Amino acid sequence: MNALNIQKGMSSHSAYDLRDPNAEIVESHTLAVLVENEPGVLARVIGLFSGRGYNIDSLTVAEVDHTGHQSRITVVTSGTPAVIEQIKAQLGRIVPVHEVHDLTVEGPSVERELGLFKVRGQGDKRVEALRIAEIFRANVVDSTLESFVFELVGTPSKLDAFADLMRPLGLADLARTGVAALARGA
Amino acid sequence: MSRSMTGARMVVEALRDQGVDTVFGYPGGAVLPIYDEIFQQNDITHVLVRHEQGAVHMAEGYARSTGKPGVVLVTSGPGATNAVTGLTDALLDSIPLVVLSGQVPTFLIGTDGFQEADTVGITRPCTKHNWLVKDPAKLAETIHKGFHVATSGRPGPVLIDIPKDVQFATADYVGPKQIEPAKYQPARKGDIAAITRLVELIEQAERPILYTGGGVINSGPAASQLLRELADATGIPVTSTLMGLGAYPASGKNWIGMLGMHGLYEANLAMHDCDLMINLGARFDDRITGRIADFSPGSVKAHVDIDPSSINKVIRVDIPILGDVGHVLEDLLKVWKSRGRKVNTPALGKWWEKIEGWKSKNCLFFRNSDKIIKPQHAMQRLEALTKGHDRYITTEVGQHQMWAAQYLGFDEPNRWMTSGGLGTMGYGLPASIGVQMAHPEALVINVAGDASWLMNMQEMGTAVQFRLPVKQFILNNERLGMVRQWQQLLHGERYSQSWSDSLPDFVKLAEAFGCKGAQVRDPGDLDAAIQQMIDYDGPFILDVLVEKHENCFPMIPSGKPHNEMLLGEAETQGVIESQGAVLV
Ligand SMILES: Cc1ncc(C[n+]2csc(CCOP(=O)(O)OP(=O)(O)O)c2C)c(N)n1
């Protein structure tokens, strides 16, 4: 089409260009955002997502370096490749954001979430709930004669699967932390 | 040596250390301690505005015409909320501002105290960054940081909210040099490999174009100089967005005019047909691109921008270069020269022939009249009569703004102040006051529409009080002209609420404010009226009664590509389809 004969998408500055830039496929990405722990910083990040119409599928935040005043926000978001690139660039513009890592493309990473599951039941159902909890290596952190609270750590899909199994057995309440994630390796 | 002082004094001290000479503001309960300090010093001039929105636009005018940050001081609650439009305007047009707001004392925050508003919450999305300072020991440092953030990288407005008890409390002052270097340090140098790749393309390109934006002006005068050098040495045609006018001179031989919705035919067609598009500090705004799918379909696109989020946001580019336009241009010129200053001369010659062909359409043609003043004619006469002056132009928003952009020529950067991104009616009058504060001897003209001008007309009082001889050039069509034009083209000529009824008598209004005004309606009297305005030693309102139903052409209707421009009335029938009508 043009006389200049250059490859489209030949930028060196992002891994985005390794993938099909025009893909309309919605992908899920886990972003680690290292921020200055100052008042309002979480509001800025969340406000960016709502203001520009991006999705938040999961969000966790906590201070990770007290002396360095750093917090780590882990956001699981979804969008087309172009939207994901915009999200990262927009996050990077926020003044107290120091680093943005896309754990989904930067290499292998581990993702973990903690869930608390309250299951009410008696008789066979109660026994079955306990048996499945053992298979999942969930811990019992509270128990009464007609209920358990299980604590389970794992990938979000493992927690989903556990919740699905517990539902017919009397799942009464559920709390999940959202995803925390780190890159694998040294 | 540590110096202990009150928070209020620190504010003044910090502004002085930042080289601030002018503050635009309005007092109120929550900033009284700061006003007390302002009273007791002479280094900083405080311009008392009539509405806080005016203060912010004045600071914008000051900032754009000087390259220095503009400074604003407002009180809590309504003072701060009145500043919101100006902050948003500055954010969208990348204007460096430092806005200081008073807040209720820390111990009242959250109690719905009198004139309490969650100012940092309200202004979070319309500032580049903002702070609530609760600790007096952090106040001076925060102000210095504010100046750094506002002016580095892509410039923008910041706001610092200062509770009243912090203004009274005492702490040690720290100067700008005593604070640790800021973590916020956007990269300025572009990737040299990408720059070299761009140079290779410049060497081969058959139909290159330089598409320049406000980033060239924000980068500083050196960037404009380098742009001129690059364009003149390579012979590449230059077009610019509304925000970038003046970076390359309108009288320069490579200038092909502004592009975009109301840009020139030749500029838009050159954008559509080019094979190499070099975007310098512009952001592919929807006023520029028209229908995205048909935007310059055959070109390789390079984009130089200091803001990573601008790159690939709207249009995918092939060569992104992250950096300050000035630095990148410097490197680009170095590389291009070292490789032997090559361009594809024969192809460029043909490209220019094509452009000259488009130019010969004379897209700014309009049918003049000797009975009634055509707004385009008024612009041409204003241009002719003010050309030799040390001239600065501001505008309001609407048709007149586009006519000003089309018919006035800017040969230098920082001479053209207009609300581009937000399109804020009411911007131009206060902006002209801010410009005049910075350039007391210059000829500062606000090209206005009757409706826009009324939005902040109270600021005439400020102009009179501070003896600022700003010229208000009102193209009075007794219409909300741009709205009327859209209703004609898009809404079956149903002119819903788009006329200006009960307009004031602008001449009497001028007198009421204590300045001078005149009205002109006969084309034969226009030159004399403009001359009277220029010569008058003080603020002046010229009410120019123009043709009421003139439309602004050329125009790319919403949702249409560049090569489907309308050049005049004859082409307007049923042009905008329902799809386009949902766009703004
Ligand atoms: C604050 C604000 N409100 C509404 C608009 C929408 N708007 C854009 S142009 C325009 C009409 C402007 O009329 P006037 O100032 O007389 O200028 P003209 O178009 O007639 O030259 C309006 C209402 C706007 N841009 N800003």
Side-chain angles (χ1 to χ4, degrees), chain A residues 16-17 36 38 44 86, chain B residues 129-130 183 309 316 318:
Chain A
Y16 171 29
D17 300 291
E36 180 86 24
E38 64 175 38
R44 274 176 220 286
Q86 256 305 296
Chain B
H129 197 57
N130 63 12
K183 288 194 187 126
S309 77
R316 278 204 59 76
D318 307 290

Side-chain angles (χ1 to χ4, degrees), chain B residues 10 52 56 78 83 114 119 124 180 200 204 217 237 285 289 305 321 355 392 463 475 494 514 567:
Chain B
M10 272 185 209
E52 289 86 352
V56 187
F114 177 64
T119 301
R124 198 174 285 130
E180 57 174 292
E200 287 167 23
Q204 307 159 35
I217 292 172
D285 179 84
T289 58
D305 206 299
I321 301 174
I355 293 172
Y392 293 80
L475 293 180
R494 290 179 297 281
L567 291 180

Side-chain angles (χ1 to χ4, degrees), chain B residues 324-338:
Chain B
D324 179 277
V325 174
H327 285 79
V328 172
L329 281 177
E330 197 180 340
D331 287 341
L332 187 114
L333 271 161
K334 253 187 230 152
V335 175
W336 181 71
K337 286 178 188 165
S338 72

Side-chain angles (χ1 to χ4, degrees), chain B residues 397-400 423 425 449-452 455 477 479-483:
Chain B
V397 171
Q399 293 179 315
H400 62 277
M425 292 170 70
D450 46 281
S452 295
M455 284 215 173
N477 52 13
R479 298 290 179 279
L480 280 58
M482 191 57 98
V483 171

